[in-house]
Amino acid sequence: MPGAAPRYGTLRESPSMRHAGRQLSRPRGEGRKPTMPVPAPQPGRTLAAGGPSADLASRSRAERAPEHLLPKQAAPVDDAMPGTGPAAGGRTPEARSDVSGGPLTLLVIEEDPGSSFAVPEMLDANGKRVRIRTARNLTEARRLLTDDVHCVLLDMAPADPGGTAGPELGTLRELLQLAPRHAVLALTDEGDAERGAEAVRVGAQDYLFRGELDGRLLNRAIRYAVERKRADVAQRQLTESRLRGQENARLERGLLPKPLLEGSGLRFAARYRPGRSRALLGGDFYDTVRTPDGTVHAMIGDVCGHGPDEAALGVELRIAWRALTFAGLCGDQLLNTLQQVLENERADDEIFATLCTIDIAPDERRAGVCLAGHPAPLITRAGRSPRLLPQEDGGPALGLLPRARWPRRQVELGGAWSLMMYTDGLIEGRIGQGKQRLGQEGLIDVVSRSMAAGLRGEQLLDASVTEAQRLNGGELTDDVAVLLLDRGRC
């Protein structure tokens, strides 16, 4: 009861620790061969945590408990302070498991009014007295269950004579919902071992017998329950994090473009590498579609930055471009509409995006090019070296000027050609240890050497990206997107 003087008594050990032979009230030499003197507890006095029987109590819980009752990552019980053992790798905010910063606090819920169970005075591993609060029911427990409580001990009522599941498991379930962050111990009679095991299956960290319990064992059981709760919470968080990662990966894969070129004689290849770690999607975006009139439309763009917000905006712009293209928009009209999308969807007014669009005529010999602050594509014609398409007539990046214009320039492609579109992440890598960057001229040299070696299509893209990384001395830090369209053999 709250405010009552502490009660003392002879307590008993956990059923899962019985074969350790620590029945302190049994006389030495009776039914077992002692290994060292074990002093009997005296009223009002608690043995130190490192006393003579510490070698038995410090055995791993995994050696004493039935295997089906142990968590996969249960923390071993020893004399080390909780928070320094194997389960302490990474404190979780959900679990009340930090027992090293102050004295342990135990909340006892006496569901059984006829129980003779008495909670002894206990000391934690720091020599501080364990604080004990007592509640007669869950209503009182709700008021006493504050953040400084480390563990809850539920004294379950005896099972009914019929052997059916009594209301105490219902009380336990309510307690687990009431205290999802706290470790929970169940206290039951020695003849109710199955019910104690069921309490663990429901969610308690351990169960104890009233008749085989002492102060030291209860102390250790509390510490074990707290550490096991920490391990359970850490494992759950790890699983949830892994599932979220898998869901994000599936989502990002679903947002990558799927070219729609059915009916076209053009060959398509693309490579995409986001700059942020462990991501599948960055701020760069691209797409290619063929409209019913036979025109092939290709687009590549780059949202400034390479975080998840930029990746989301890039997806929105790509989807908007595809919808507007199928709706018949092209050139300046299309880019003006995309700028409106950007202005409405961006997080702040400083966000902008560069873009390059190309529409290839049905005869595949001519194309219209629009540049919005984006690097010009590379074109390689049959028998000629790669060179840049004209970029003098380009307009500003989307989102910079409210009434900007983006002229559409007509270019002749020829009979056999290869067109490479790319983002600036490919050309902004450095060359060696100096400050010189690869740039567009350096990219022309890289592509020329690769094509001279007979590389085409995906092999050409792989070789270009790999060479840019080699010259940079490691991975490129920005997002990289490269798109290649081929016609004939050049």
Side-chain angles (χ1 to χ4, degrees):
M1 295 295 294
R7 295 176 295 173
Y8 307 92
T10 302
L11 302 180
R12 296 146 289 192
E13 72 176 348
S14 166
S16 57
M17 303 164 67
R18 293 179 61 186
H19 74 272
R22 295 199 308 111
Q23 299 181 10
L24 300 182
S25 60
R26 174 186 294 178
R28 289 172 47 196
E30 180 179 336
R32 63 183 177 91
K33 184 176 181 180
T35 57
M36 62 176 62
V38 181
Q42 301 176 7
R45 180 171 177 265
T46 303
L47 293 177
S53 62
D55 63 321
L56 294 175
S58 62
R59 292 182 185 176
S60 169
R61 186 69 166 198
E63 299 177 1
R64 298 191 295 264
E67 183 177 356
H68 72 283
L69 299 182
L70 289 175
K72 293 182 178 179
Q73 296 186 359
V77 178
D78 52 27
D79 285 331
M81 280 301 297
T84 62
R91 177 182 174 184
T92 58
E94 286 84 355
R96 288 289 305 138
S97 55
D98 185 6
V99 297
S100 59
L104 280 169
T105 301
L106 174 68
L107 174 60
V108 180
I109 304 176
E110 296 181 329
E111 186 70 10
D112 181 9
S115 173
S116 59
F117 170 69
V119 182
E121 181 181 83
M122 296 176 290
L123 300 178
D124 63 15
N126 284 336
K128 299 179 182 179
R129 181 173 299 176
V130 176
R131 297 180 297 187
I132 300 173
R133 301 176 185 174
T134 307
R136 292 173 296 183
N137 48 50
L138 289 182
T139 302
E140 289 187 4
R142 188 184 302 272
R143 177 174 56 85
L144 299 174
L145 194 63
T146 54
D147 287 341
D148 59 340
V149 173
H150 297 88
C151 185
V152 180
L153 178 63
L154 176 63
D155 186 5
M156 299 194 301
D160 55 30
T164 58
E168 68 284 344
L169 289 185
T171 302
L172 175 60
R173 290 187 176 94
E174 292 183 38
L175 173 61
L176 293 173
Q177 293 179 354
L178 178 65
R181 306 185 312 156
H182 297 77
V184 176
L185 292 170
L187 189 66
T188 186
D189 292 329
E190 186 173 0
D192 288 336
E194 183 57 35
R195 195 157 52 112
E198 180 64 23
V200 174
R201 286 191 287 269
V202 168
Q205 272 61 60
D206 201 358
Y207 69 95
L208 307 169
F209 289 150
R210 295 187 188 92
E212 298 181 352
L213 190 67
D214 59 40
R216 181 182 298 171
L217 176 59
L218 179 58
N219 195 337
R220 292 186 179 277
I222 293 171
R223 295 170 57 195
Y224 170 79
V226 169
E227 289 300 321
R228 177 169 177 171
K229 183 66 176 182
R230 170 185 292 193
D232 291 344
V233 171
Q235 180 64 34
R236 183 176 69 250
Q237 288 185 331
L238 179 62
T239 301
E240 292 174 353
S241 176
R242 185 181 298 113
L243 291 176
R244 283 194 300 268
Q246 293 173 353
E247 291 175 357
N248 290 339
R250 286 194 297 268
L251 176 61
E252 291 186 358
R253 279 194 294 268
L255 294 176
L256 291 172
K258 298 177 177 60
L260 300 178
L261 292 174
E262 185 177 357
S264 171
L266 301 180
R267 294 184 297 273
F268 170 86
R271 287 294 180 267
Y272 191 94
R273 296 188 182 184
R276 56 194 177 102
S277 176
R278 296 184 298 276
L280 297 177
L281 205 61
D284 291 3
F285 54 98
Y286 68 89
D287 204 353
T288 306
V289 299
R290 182 175 184 267
T291 50
D293 63 356
T295 302
V296 172
H297 302 262
M299 173 273 296
I300 193 166
D302 181 5
V303 177
C304 65
H306 43 80
D309 292 337
E310 289 77 11
L313 183 56
V315 170
E316 291 178 283
L317 292 174
R318 180 185 68 78
I319 294 174
W321 175 86
R322 177 175 283 199
L324 294 171
T325 299
F326 278 119
L329 275 66
C330 184
D332 183 75
Q333 186 181 13
L334 185 149
L335 290 174
N336 183 66
T337 308
L338 281 180
Q339 174 160 275
Q340 296 179 42
V341 173
L342 172 66
E343 291 172 346
N344 283 279
E345 298 297 333
R346 62 187 176 183
D348 59 70
D349 293 341
E350 296 183 357
I351 299 296
F352 63 90
T354 66
L355 200 71
C356 172
T357 67
I358 293 181
D359 54 278
I360 302 171
D363 63 6
E364 299 175 351
R365 302 179 67 90
R366 295 170 291 110
V369 181
C370 286
L371 297 175
H374 199 86
L378 282 178
I379 185 169
T380 305
R381 296 182 176 92
R384 300 183 184 180
S385 300
R387 69 179 183 87
L388 294 171
L389 288 179
Q391 53 187 354
E392 293 80 11
D393 297 333
L398 302 182
L400 293 182
L401 300 177
R403 289 179 293 275
R405 301 297 301 273
W406 297 273
R408 176 178 175 273
R409 185 183 183 108
Q410 189 78 14
V411 296
E412 293 293 330
L413 299 177
W417 48 266
S418 176
L419 190 66
M420 178 183 288
M421 305 169 69
Y422 53 93
T423 57
D424 60 5
L426 182 63
I427 61 175
E428 289 187 346
R430 299 185 183 277
I431 299 179
Q433 300 298 322
K435 297 182 179 180
Q436 182 182 359
R437 298 187 181 274
L438 178 63
Q440 291 176 299
E441 294 300 325
L443 179 61
I444 292 175
D445 292 339
V446 170
V447 173
S448 297
R449 292 195 301 268
S450 298
M451 295 189 72
L455 302 180
R456 299 293 186 275
E458 294 182 347
Q459 291 182 340
L460 175 61
L461 295 185
D462 290 336
S464 300
V465 174
T466 300
E467 180 64 9
Q469 291 176 336
R470 187 191 69 80
L471 293 172
N472 187 58
E475 291 290 333
L476 300 170
T477 57
D478 199 2
D479 302 331
V480 175
V482 192
L483 183 154
L484 190 67
L485 288 170
D486 288 328
R487 181 178 188 264
R489 181 75 177 178
C490 58

